[in-house]
Amino acid sequence: MGSYTRQRRTKILINRGAGRGIESRCLISNMGAEPLYILTVIGVLSDDEGRIEADITDRDSSEVKDVKSVREGTSQGPLMSGEFMDIGRFSELMARCARRNQRETDGIESRFDGLEIVVIGAYGAEDLSVGARRCFTLHGGDTAKELVPDSVSTHQMRSRRERRAAESYLHNQLRQSRQPKSD
């Protein structure tokens, strides 16, 4: 029974590809046995003053010019077993997170020292959302920063507490989207 349960577990990988710097691509892979539907991608930037976070699932209108498909405008959607999704350059993800927190985006790589990517999704017959997170630290000089993962693998959010926190985040997002925008 234990090996069957292990086979049915989610396994979401968050990785860096096509380079080592902030212009490298952020790749999300589904290595679980069943399809995964990505609901939300959260970016968390850190610096000496603390951390800021934002939903970075959808691209901003400034990033989307000639969109040919819905998939080009969002990181939301299904991933079959063994598939991966390119959610954009790390520099774009960092800038999107900063913009959504009303922070300056020029020279972003020299103002922040780390980026955490959190993926929340729906998987098979699971009652609670599933998720994964991975932290990256910026190393090097001001001109050519390298983005280095803090761990060898992606942390799978499997505990009930982590999964409830992911579910709570989704509920809060929904509540905020229902509130009227103030100008």
Side-chain angles (χ1 to χ4, degrees):
M1 183 68 169
S3 66
Y4 176 78
T5 304
R6 202 171 18 259
Q7 287 175 350
R8 293 288 171 217
R9 273 191 195 169
T10 59
K11 179 82 170 180
I12 303 167
L13 301 182
I14 303 167
N15 226 333
R16 178 189 66 188
R20 300 178 74 92
I22 66 167
E23 296 306 315
S24 61
R25 311 297 294 193
C26 184
L27 307 175
I28 298 174
S29 306
N30 175 19
M31 300 310 291
E34 296 181 28
L36 166 74
Y37 189 91
I38 295 177
L39 297 167
T40 300
V41 179
I42 304 162
V44 183
L45 288 170
S46 57
D47 63 11
D48 295 338
E49 297 174 23
R51 296 163 49 104
I52 58 171
E53 75 174 41
D55 178 345
I56 57 172
T57 309
D58 297 327
R59 285 150 185 82
D60 296 333
S61 56
S62 63
E63 296 174 273
V64 181
K65 302 211 179 358
D66 298 318
V67 177
K68 293 169 184 55
S69 71
V70 173
R71 190 67 156 200
E72 292 178 30
T74 187
S75 299
Q76 189 178 135
L79 274 181
M80 300 308 285
S81 179
E83 285 186 342
F84 75 92
M85 177 189 300
D86 178 347
I87 66 168
R89 289 185 177 88
F90 280 97
S91 60
E92 295 166 351
L93 303 175
M94 292 172 72
R96 196 177 307 154
C97 184
R99 271 193 306 276
R100 292 183 182 168
N101 282 281
Q102 289 74 47
R103 296 281 190 92
E104 181 61 42
T105 60
D106 289 337
I108 198 162
E109 66 278 0
S110 57
R111 286 187 292 109
F112 292 98
D113 29 291
L115 172 66
E116 179 179 12
I117 301 291
V118 180
V119 175
I120 300 174
Y123 186 77
E126 296 281 341
D127 290 336
L128 291 173
S129 295
V130 297
R133 66 180 60 225
R134 192 158 192 201
C135 297
F136 299 85
T137 302
L138 290 162
H139 290 285
D142 286 339
T143 55
K145 295 257 185 176
E146 187 171 312
L147 198 66
V148 180
D150 289 358
S151 60
V152 173
S153 61
T154 304
H155 172 75
Q156 303 301 309
M157 297 164 50
R158 290 203 172 108
S159 76
R160 199 164 214 34
R161 184 179 61 74
E162 288 175 309
R163 293 175 68 193
R164 280 194 183 128
E167 199 76 19
S168 176
Y169 182 89
L170 294 174
H171 285 290
N172 287 337
Q173 244 187 344
L174 181 60
R175 255 189 247 101
Q176 288 174 1
S177 69
R178 289 180 179 162
Q179 294 176 354
K181 301 264 186 215
S182 58
D183 292 326

Coordinates of all heavy atoms in Angstrom, one line a residue, residues 138-168:
L138 N 20.6 35.3 -5.5 CA 21.4 36.0 -6.5 C 22.8 36.2 -6.0 O 23.0 36.7 -4.9 CB 20.8 37.4 -6.8 CG 19.5 37.3 -7.6 CD1 18.8 38.7 -7.4 CD2 19.8 37.0 -9.0
H139 N 23.8 35.7 -6.7 CA 25.2 35.8 -6.4 C 26.0 36.5 -7.5 O 25.6 36.4 -8.6 CB 25.8 34.4 -6.2 CG 25.3 33.7 -5.0 ND1 25.7 34.0 -3.7 CD2 24.4 32.6 -4.9 CE1 25.1 33.2 -2.9 NE2 24.3 32.3 -3.5
G140 N 27.1 37.2 -7.1 CA 27.9 37.7 -8.1 C 27.9 39.3 -8.1 O 27.3 39.9 -7.2
G141 N 28.6 39.8 -9.0 CA 28.8 41.3 -9.1 C 27.5 42.0 -9.6 O 26.5 41.3 -9.8
D142 N 27.5 43.3 -9.7 CA 26.3 44.0 -10.1 C 25.9 43.8 -11.5 O 24.7 44.0 -11.9 CB 26.6 45.5 -9.9 CG 26.5 45.9 -8.4 OD1 26.0 45.2 -7.6 OD2 27.1 47.0 -8.1
T143 N 26.8 43.4 -12.4 CA 26.5 43.3 -13.8 C 26.0 41.9 -14.2 O 25.1 41.8 -15.0 CB 27.7 43.7 -14.7 OG1 28.8 42.9 -14.3 CG2 28.0 45.2 -14.6
A144 N 26.7 40.9 -13.7 CA 26.3 39.5 -14.1 C 26.0 38.7 -12.9 O 26.8 37.9 -12.4 CB 27.4 38.9 -14.9
K145 N 24.8 38.8 -12.4 CA 24.4 38.0 -11.2 C 24.0 36.6 -11.7 O 23.4 36.4 -12.7 CB 23.2 38.6 -10.6 CG 23.4 40.0 -9.9 CD 23.6 39.9 -8.5 CE 23.7 41.2 -7.9 NZ 23.8 41.2 -6.5
E146 N 24.4 35.6 -10.9 CA 24.0 34.2 -11.1 C 22.9 33.9 -10.1 O 22.9 34.3 -9.0 CB 25.2 33.3 -10.9 CG 24.9 31.9 -11.3 CD 26.1 31.0 -11.3 OE1 27.1 31.4 -11.9 OE2 26.0 29.9 -10.8
L147 N 21.9 33.2 -10.6 CA 20.7 32.7 -9.8 C 21.0 31.3 -9.4 O 21.0 30.4 -10.2 CB 19.5 32.8 -10.7 CG 18.1 32.8 -10.0 CD1 18.0 34.1 -9.2 CD2 17.0 32.7 -11.0
V148 N 21.2 31.1 -8.1 CA 21.6 29.8 -7.6 C 20.5 29.2 -6.7 O 20.0 29.9 -5.8 CB 22.9 29.9 -6.7 CG1 23.3 28.6 -6.2 CG2 24.0 30.5 -7.6
P149 N 20.0 28.0 -7.0 CA 19.0 27.4 -6.1 C 19.6 27.2 -4.7 O 20.8 26.8 -4.6 CB 18.7 26.0 -6.8 CG 19.5 26.0 -8.1 CD 20.4 27.1 -8.1
D150 N 18.8 27.4 -3.7 CA 19.2 27.2 -2.3 C 19.3 25.7 -1.9 O 19.9 25.4 -0.9 CB 18.3 27.9 -1.3 CG 18.4 29.4 -1.4 OD1 19.3 29.9 -2.2 OD2 17.7 30.2 -0.7
S151 N 18.6 24.9 -2.7 CA 18.6 23.4 -2.3 C 18.7 22.6 -3.6 O 18.4 23.1 -4.7 CB 17.3 23.1 -1.6 OG 16.2 23.4 -2.4
V152 N 19.0 21.4 -3.5 CA 19.2 20.5 -4.6 C 17.8 20.2 -5.3 O 17.8 20.1 -6.5 CB 19.9 19.2 -4.2 CG1 19.9 18.1 -5.3 CG2 21.3 19.4 -3.6
S153 N 16.8 20.1 -4.5 CA 15.5 19.7 -5.0 C 14.4 20.7 -4.6 O 14.6 21.5 -3.7 CB 15.1 18.3 -4.6 OG 15.0 18.3 -3.2
T154 N 13.3 20.6 -5.2 CA 12.1 21.4 -4.9 C 11.4 20.9 -3.7 O 11.2 19.6 -3.6 CB 11.1 21.4 -6.1 OG1 11.8 21.8 -7.3 CG2 9.9 22.3 -5.9
H155 N 11.0 21.7 -2.8 CA 10.3 21.3 -1.5 C 8.9 21.1 -1.9 O 8.2 21.9 -2.4 CB 10.4 22.4 -0.5 CG 9.5 22.1 0.7 ND1 9.8 21.1 1.6 CD2 8.3 22.6 1.1 CE1 8.9 21.1 2.6 NE2 8.0 22.0 2.2
Q156 N 8.4 19.8 -1.6 CA 7.0 19.5 -1.9 C 6.2 19.8 -0.7 O 6.5 19.4 0.4 CB 6.9 18.0 -2.2 CG 7.7 17.5 -3.4 CD 7.4 18.2 -4.7 OE1 6.3 18.3 -5.1 NE2 8.4 18.7 -5.3
M157 N 5.1 20.6 -0.9 CA 4.2 21.0 0.2 C 3.2 19.9 0.5 O 2.2 19.9 -0.1 CB 3.6 22.3 -0.1 CG 4.6 23.4 -0.3 SD 4.0 24.9 -1.1 CE 2.5 25.3 -0.3
R158 N 3.6 18.9 1.4 CA 2.8 17.8 1.6 C 2.1 17.7 2.9 O 1.1 17.0 3.1 CB 3.7 16.5 1.4 CG 4.1 16.3 0.0 CD 4.4 14.8 -0.2 NE 4.6 14.6 -1.7 CZ 5.8 14.4 -2.2 NH1 6.9 14.3 -1.5 NH2 5.9 14.2 -3.5
S159 N 2.6 18.5 3.9 CA 2.0 18.4 5.2 C 0.6 19.1 5.1 O 0.3 19.9 4.3 CB 2.8 19.1 6.3 OG 2.7 20.5 6.1
R160 N -0.3 18.6 6.0 CA -1.6 19.2 6.1 C -1.6 20.7 6.3 O -2.3 21.4 5.7 CB -2.4 18.5 7.2 CG -3.9 18.6 7.0 CD -4.6 17.6 7.9 NE -5.8 17.0 7.5 CZ -6.2 16.6 6.3 NH1 -5.5 16.9 5.3 NH2 -7.4 16.0 6.1
R161 N -0.7 21.1 7.2 CA -0.5 22.6 7.5 C -0.2 23.4 6.3 O -0.8 24.4 6.0 CB 0.5 22.8 8.6 CG 0.6 24.2 9.1 CD 1.6 24.4 10.2 NE 3.0 24.0 9.8 CZ 3.8 24.7 9.1 NH1 3.4 25.8 8.5 NH2 5.0 24.3 8.8
E162 N 0.8 22.9 5.5 CA 1.2 23.6 4.3 C 0.1 23.6 3.2 O -0.1 24.7 2.6 CB 2.5 22.9 3.7 CG 3.7 23.1 4.5 CD 4.9 22.3 3.9 OE1 4.7 21.1 3.6 OE2 6.0 22.9 3.6
R163 N -0.6 22.5 3.1 CA -1.6 22.5 2.1 C -2.8 23.3 2.5 O -3.5 24.0 1.6 CB -2.0 21.0 1.9 CG -0.9 20.2 1.2 CD -1.1 18.8 1.1 NE -2.2 18.6 0.1 CZ -2.8 17.4 -0.1 NH1 -2.5 16.4 0.7 NH2 -3.8 17.3 -1.0
R164 N -3.1 23.4 3.8 CA -4.2 24.3 4.3 C -3.8 25.8 4.0 O -4.6 26.6 3.7 CB -4.5 24.1 5.7 CG -5.4 22.9 5.9 CD -5.9 22.9 7.4 NE -6.7 21.7 7.6 CZ -6.6 20.9 8.6 NH1 -5.6 21.1 9.5 NH2 -7.3 19.8 8.7
A165 N -2.5 26.1 4.2 CA -2.0 27.5 4.0 C -2.2 27.8 2.5 O -2.5 28.9 2.2 CB -0.6 27.6 4.4
A166 N -1.9 26.9 1.6 CA -2.0 27.1 0.2 C -3.5 27.3 -0.1 O -3.9 28.3 -0.9 CB -1.5 25.9 -0.6
E167 N -4.4 26.6 0.5 CA -5.8 26.7 0.3 C -6.3 28.1 0.8 O -7.1 28.7 0.1 CB -6.5 25.6 1.0 CG -7.9 25.3 0.6 CD -8.0 24.5 -0.7 OE1 -7.0 23.9 -1.2 OE2 -9.1 24.6 -1.3
S168 N -5.8 28.5 1.9 CA -6.1 29.8 2.5 C -5.7 30.9 1.6 O -6.4 31.9 1.4 CB -5.5 29.9 3.9 OG -5.7 31.1 4.4

